[in-house]
Structures are given as structure tokens and as C-alpha cells.
């Protein structure tokens, strides 16, 4: 019951507050005194329901005798939790899934509505149990978008977009990949340990690790829970990051002695990678307007030993007013829709709306405008997003290059590992895809400011 209640609370907050499930889950698991088994169940239920919400809703709507949109929000969360256990968790008997969900209803629906709510939940879940195998998904020949959206649990607008850019088979492969549970990926903190030492430690913890295909010092762990509780993690030997997220730092290629601006530093993951490549010679200015990001950056600074970082709480759009001297390199890992990271953040597919992409694109272009004057002539700037949508990637860069003709796309082929060079297209843009590379979807491009 406690694991199910915790998952219910997270799902409610994710929907009502547009919050990240991973942050809520981490915080609540730290507070709750759950057994290892219950921690695993709460995690499975939270991510499982968010990944498969579209399919669960489709099937539940088919057995509900009222419009699904008119079902009260708490009851929708309860039904999704019950349905996920019935349809996806074979180790939980169906009768237990129904009974536990009805018991949870008693706990979370208060007052005179409780008896009716319990009866409703009980009736719908038992009906789903009886009929789910006979419910048909939309016919792909007549409704290709609806068929893919319902079967693979994505919003129709997103499926429509991807079908315009990819073949049907590839779109389906992408949707399928977005529903897989990714391995835990970690990056070695070279300021504290060598990759060989970290690999040996992780192997002792997790049994086996897989080195990254693209980024030296990246390791993947199938079950990484223990690695994040090990003293080596607390001592800052490594930190979690998808391999794709490290690629923009490789493209920027900071050199010892450089002053680097991390223009959207967030919690400091890429700042740590930049400092590792500087090797103790040089400095990173970590810019971010968020107080919360700076608290996380401060924690990372202590744990990872980030001595040569200068945190500045400010908006990169005002960078030209903040800096009196130009910098050697700039990383703009811009805020974005996050639609490339749906494996790790499945809630983003339900939170992000298509209409919101335009506002993000405006912000991304303003960030580039803000930092461009700060870069030295001859210096490099990498623009990256964890999205592959054109208006957040190619269109932004094309527009920026029109506005700032002193910038050009740089030749990035040399100096990168051959596996990374293969990810870069003829225009110099790097893209990773979940279904093609087993990584988050990421875009990055290196620009160079011409010498005067």
C-alpha cells in the first residue's frame, strides 16, 4: 500500500505541477522508510504508468461508461495504477491489483464520495480484466496516427510530426525505444579518479558495466541503484549523465588554460565535464538564473571538487552586460522541450504541448544572441538541446547565422573519436536517436567566430 500511495502522490504532482517525476521520486524515497522491494515497486509504478499512460487511457476509456475526460482526476490516477499492474506486472496477481487499488481509493478519496469511488474503481478494473484482450486498437490503414499513438502511448501531435519526417517503421521504432527503461549511465569525474579505477569500482558494485560507445569515461549499468548509494558516488568519483548529454562537451573541445562559459549550467554536470577536460588549468564560468540550479551546482561543487568554477546567478541573455572580457569557448546547452529524453522523463510527452515549442525557440535564439558578443574572435560556441525538433535545432542555428554573419559552422570532424564523427552530418550537426544509437535524442553543433 505504501509504495502504491507514494506512486499515486507523485503521479498527481507530476500532472498538477508539471513537475519532473525523477526529482519527486528521489525526494520522496529519501523521506519514506520503504523496504527495498517497496522502493522498487514505487519506482516501477511511477515510470510505468507515465510511459504507458496513453495506452492505459485508451483501454480504460473503452470499458468506462462515461467520457474518460469527465472521470475525476484522482480516479484516473487510481485506474491507471490498477490497470498498469493488471496489464504489465505479471508478478502481481490481477485480483491483488484490483483489491490494492480499491484499498488505496479508500485512503485517498475522503468523505461521502468514498463508497461511490471504491465501487467505480472496482467495477472498471474488473471490466478491464475481463475485456482487455478483445479491445481493438485503431486500424493503421485508416488511422495510422491513432494506431501508433494508442499502441505506443504517445500524444497524437507528436506522432503526426514524426511521421512527416520519418518512415512509418522508423517512427514505430522510435516510439518503442521511448518506452524502454534506459540503463543508468555515469560519467567519470576526472578531477578525482581515472576511468580505470571507476570501472573497477563499478564492476565490484554492479557485477558488470558496459563502457560507452562514444564518450571515453562513460559507463552504463543495467542496475545502477547500488552505484548511487556507494561511498564512491558520495566521494564524487562519478555522476549520472546520459552519454549523449556529454557529446556537446566533446564537440566544444576545451583546452587547458581556456576560460569557458557554461551559459545554461543547471546542476553542473557539464561544468564538471568541462573542468575535467581543462585538467586543472583554466576556468569555467557557470551561468544560470535559477536559485534552485545554483543550490544543485553548489552541492556538485563540493561533492565533485569543482574548484575552478565561478558560479554566477544570472540570465545568459544579459551576458554581454555581465562580462568585461571575452571568453575562449561557450557552451549553450539550452532549455528545451526535452522530447529527446522521453525514456528518462516519460512525463514530458504529456506535459509538452506543440504550441509551446515556439516560446522555447524564442528563448533559445535569445540565449544565442545574448552570449555571441562575449566570445573571442576565433573562439568556439557549441549549441545543443535534448530535442530533435527542427524549430529547436536547425531553424535556430540557421536564423542565428543569418543574424550573426561573423559566425560559421565549424569543421568538427578532426579531433573527435571516429564513432562521434560518424554522428555528424554534412552541415556539421550531431544527432543521436534512442532507436538508432540507444542514447537520448540530442542535437549539437559547433560554431566558430571568425577572426577579424
Amino acid at each position: 500500500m505504501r509504495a502504491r500511495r507514494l506512486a499515486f502522490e507523485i503521479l498527481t504532482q507530476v500532472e498538477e505541477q508539471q513537475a519532473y517525476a525523477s526529482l519527486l521520486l528521489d525526494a520522496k524515497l529519501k523521506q519514506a522508510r520503504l523496504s527495498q522491494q517497496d522502493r522498487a515497486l514505487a519506482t516501477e509504478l511511477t515510470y510505468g504508468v507515465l510511459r504507458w499512460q496513453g495506452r492505459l487511457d485508451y483501454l480504460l476509456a473503452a470499458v468506462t461508461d462515461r467520457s474518460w475526460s469527465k472521470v475525476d482526476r484522482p480516479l484516473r490516477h487510481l485506474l491507471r495504477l490498477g490497470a498498469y499492474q493488471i496489464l504489465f506486472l505479471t508478478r502481481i496477481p490481477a485480483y491483488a491489483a484490483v483489491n490494492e487499488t480499491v484499498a488505496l481509493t479508500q485512503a485517498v478519496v475522503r468523505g461521502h464520495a468514498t463508497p461511490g469511488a471504491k465501487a467505480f474503481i472496482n467495477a472498471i478494473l474488473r471490466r478491464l480484466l475481463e475485456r482487455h484482450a478483445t479491445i481493438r486498437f485503431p486500424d493503421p490503414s485508416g488511422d495510422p496516427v491513432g494506431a501508433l499513438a494508442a499502441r505506443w502511448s504517445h500524444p497524437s501531435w507528436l506522432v503526426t510530426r514524426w511521421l512527416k519526417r520519418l518512415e512509418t517503421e522508423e517512427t514505430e521504432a522510435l516510439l518503442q525505444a521511448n518506452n524502454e527503461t534506459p540503463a543508468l549511465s555515469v560519467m567519470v569525474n576526472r578531477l578525482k579518479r581515472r576511468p580505470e579505477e571507476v570501472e573497477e569500482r563499478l564492476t565490484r558494485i554492479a557485477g558488470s558495466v558496459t563502457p560507452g560507445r562514444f564518450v571515453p569515461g562513460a559507463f552504463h549499468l543495467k542496475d545502477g541503484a547500488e552505484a548511487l548509494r556507494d561511498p564512491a558516488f558520495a566521494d564524487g568519483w562519478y555522476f549520472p549523465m546520459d552519454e549523449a548529454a556529454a557529446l556537446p562537451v566533446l564537440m566544444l573541445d576545451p583546452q587547458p588554460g581556456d576560460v569557458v562559459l557554461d551559459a545554461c549550467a543547471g546542476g553542473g554536470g557539464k561544468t564538471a565535464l568541462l573542468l575535467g577536460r581543462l585538467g586543472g588549468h583554466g576556468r569555467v564560468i557557470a551561468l544560470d538564473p535559477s536559485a534552485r540550479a545554483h543550490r544543485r551546482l553548489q552541492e556538485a561543487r563540493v561533492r565533485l571538487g569543482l574548484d575552478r568554477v565561478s558560479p554566477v546567478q544570472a540570465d545568459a541573455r544579459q551576458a554581454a552586460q555581465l562580462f568585461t572580457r571575452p571568453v575562449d569557448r561557450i557552451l549553450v546547452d539550452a532549455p528545451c522541450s526535452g522530447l529527446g529524453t522521453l525514456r528518462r522523463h516519460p512525463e514530458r510527452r504529456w506535459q509538452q504541448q506543440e504550441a509551446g515549442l515556439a516560446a522555447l525557440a524564442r528563448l533559445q535564439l535569445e540565449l544565442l544572441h545574448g552570449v555571441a558578443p562575449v566570445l573571442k574572435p576565433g573562439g568556439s560556441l557549441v549549441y545543443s538541446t535534448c530535442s530533435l525538433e527542427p524549430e529547436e535545432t536547425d531553424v535556430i542555428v540557421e536564423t542565428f547565422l543569418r543574424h550573426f554573419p561573423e559566425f560559421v559552422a565549424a569543421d568538427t570532424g578532426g579531433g573527435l573519436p571516429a564513432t562521434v564523427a560518424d554522428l555528424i552530418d554534412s552541415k556539421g550537426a550531431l544527432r543521436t536517436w534512442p532507436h538508432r544509437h540507444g542514447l537520448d535524442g540530442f542535437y549539437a553543433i559547433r560554431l566558430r567566430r571568425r577572426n577579424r
Side-chain angles (χ1 to χ4, degrees):
M1 171 73 112
R2 295 181 65 198
R4 292 173 175 85
R5 176 142 192 175
L6 190 141
F8 172 82
E9 290 171 358
I10 293 172
L11 293 170
T12 301
Q13 284 184 261
V14 164
E15 185 167 297
E16 291 180 353
Q17 301 170 11
Q18 301 288 289
Y20 275 105
S22 57
L23 297 180
L24 289 173
L25 191 61
D26 285 349
K28 286 186 178 289
L29 287 177
K30 280 179 187 168
Q31 294 168 359
R33 294 184 176 178
L34 297 182
S35 66
Q36 193 60 33
Q37 190 176 13
D38 274 349
R39 292 171 67 91
L41 178 58
T43 303
E44 171 70 44
L45 290 174
T46 300
Y47 283 115
V49 167
L50 289 170
R51 284 193 181 102
W52 292 102
Q53 180 176 312
R55 185 191 286 193
L56 296 173
D57 286 3
Y58 181 85
L59 296 171
L60 285 164
V63 296
T64 304
D65 47 11
R66 69 180 82 160
S67 169
W68 180 245
S69 62
K70 295 198 172 149
V71 175
D72 290 345
R73 187 177 290 175
L75 301 187
R76 287 206 301 265
H77 292 313
L78 288 162
L79 285 169
R80 288 168 184 156
L81 277 168
Y84 181 73
Q85 293 169 74
I86 291 170
L87 300 174
F88 288 90
L89 298 188
T90 53
R91 66 180 181 277
I92 296 179
Y95 71 84
V98 176
N99 293 343
E100 288 289 337
T101 308
V102 172
L104 181 59
T105 307
Q106 169 87 34
V108 300
V109 179
R110 303 290 174 82
H112 68 277
T114 305
K118 285 171 62 180
F120 178 71
I121 296 291
N122 186 51
I124 298 302
L125 289 182
R126 291 187 184 283
R127 212 176 290 162
L128 179 71
L129 194 55
E130 292 168 6
R131 301 183 191 170
H132 72 86
T134 63
I135 299 171
R136 293 189 175 181
F137 289 105
D139 182 351
S141 63
D143 183 6
V145 171
L148 289 172
R151 185 174 293 278
W152 296 111
S153 188
H154 281 66
S156 296
W157 70 266
L158 198 49
V159 175
T160 301
R161 278 182 154 251
W162 290 344
L163 277 174
K164 286 179 182 171
R165 289 156 47 202
L166 306 170
E167 297 290 336
T168 302
E169 293 75 14
E170 185 166 12
T171 300
E172 187 163 12
L174 173 57
L175 302 176
Q176 202 169 348
N178 283 341
N179 287 334
E180 291 172 357
T181 303
L184 173 71
S185 302
V186 299
M187 293 291 149
V188 173
N189 177 15
R190 293 173 186 268
L191 297 171
K192 290 212 168 182
R193 286 291 185 275
R194 291 179 293 111
E196 299 79 13
E197 293 175 274
V198 173
E199 183 174 14
E200 184 182 340
R201 181 63 167 253
L202 291 173
T203 303
R204 283 212 303 272
I205 298 167
S208 68
V209 299
T210 306
R213 280 174 61 197
F214 304 99
V215 179
F219 295 104
H220 306 294
L221 292 78
K222 198 163 187 179
D223 182 3
E226 287 303 318
L228 298 182
R229 289 195 282 270
D230 191 82
F233 174 71
D235 288 344
W237 289 27
Y238 50 85
F239 52 93
M241 179 182 283
D242 188 80
E243 198 176 349
L247 291 169
V249 174
L250 257 67
M251 288 187 84
L252 189 62
D253 193 26
Q255 298 296 311
D258 279 348
V259 175
V260 182
L261 171 61
D262 187 357
C264 308
K270 292 184 180 64
T271 297
L273 288 178
L274 291 166
L275 287 166
R277 292 183 73 84
L278 290 177
H281 303 281
R283 187 161 64 97
V284 174
I285 302 166
L287 207 61
D288 201 291
S290 159
R292 183 179 178 184
H294 276 266
R295 285 195 296 274
R296 290 170 54 213
L297 177 60
Q298 183 56 29
E299 291 168 8
R301 191 179 181 183
V302 172
R303 189 173 70 81
L304 302 174
L306 309 181
D307 295 332
R308 302 185 74 85
V309 61
S310 304
V312 180
Q313 187 175 345
D315 192 323
R317 288 175 289 184
Q318 277 81 53
Q321 288 81 55
L322 298 171
F323 288 75
T324 55
R325 294 181 179 176
V327 300
D328 299 291
R329 296 169 201 264
I330 299 176
L331 175 63
V332 180
D333 185 39
C336 69
S337 64
L339 292 173
T341 63
L342 298 184
R343 302 181 310 160
R344 297 181 195 283
H345 303 293
E347 67 275 16
R348 291 300 302 152
R349 74 188 76 178
W350 312 118
Q351 293 172 340
Q352 181 65 50
Q353 303 299 315
E354 187 169 26
L357 294 178
L360 286 167
R362 279 196 297 278
L363 170 61
Q364 291 152 358
L365 190 58
E366 287 170 5
L367 287 167
L368 283 174
H369 277 232
V371 301
V374 174
L375 186 65
K376 279 181 181 173
S380 295
L381 182 157
V382 166
Y383 170 76
S384 63
T385 67
C386 52
S387 166
L388 296 164
E389 299 312 298
E391 52 268 74
E392 297 186 272
T393 55
D394 299 292
V395 175
I396 292 293
V397 173
E398 289 163 10
T399 307
F400 173 74
L401 292 178
R402 281 201 305 276
H403 294 173
F404 288 82
E406 67 269 36
F407 280 79
V408 293
D411 177 11
T412 51
L416 289 173
T419 51
V420 178
D422 288 345
L423 300 171
I424 298 172
D425 67 17
S426 59
K427 293 183 177 177
L430 174 149
R431 289 178 177 80
T432 56
W433 296 80
H435 63 295
R436 293 180 190 170
H437 309 108
L439 306 178
D440 287 346
F442 236 88
Y443 169 94
I445 188 166
R446 188 167 84 193
L447 308 176
R448 182 175 59 81
R449 187 172 188 178
R450 300 177 207 262
N451 285 309
R452 291 192 183 94

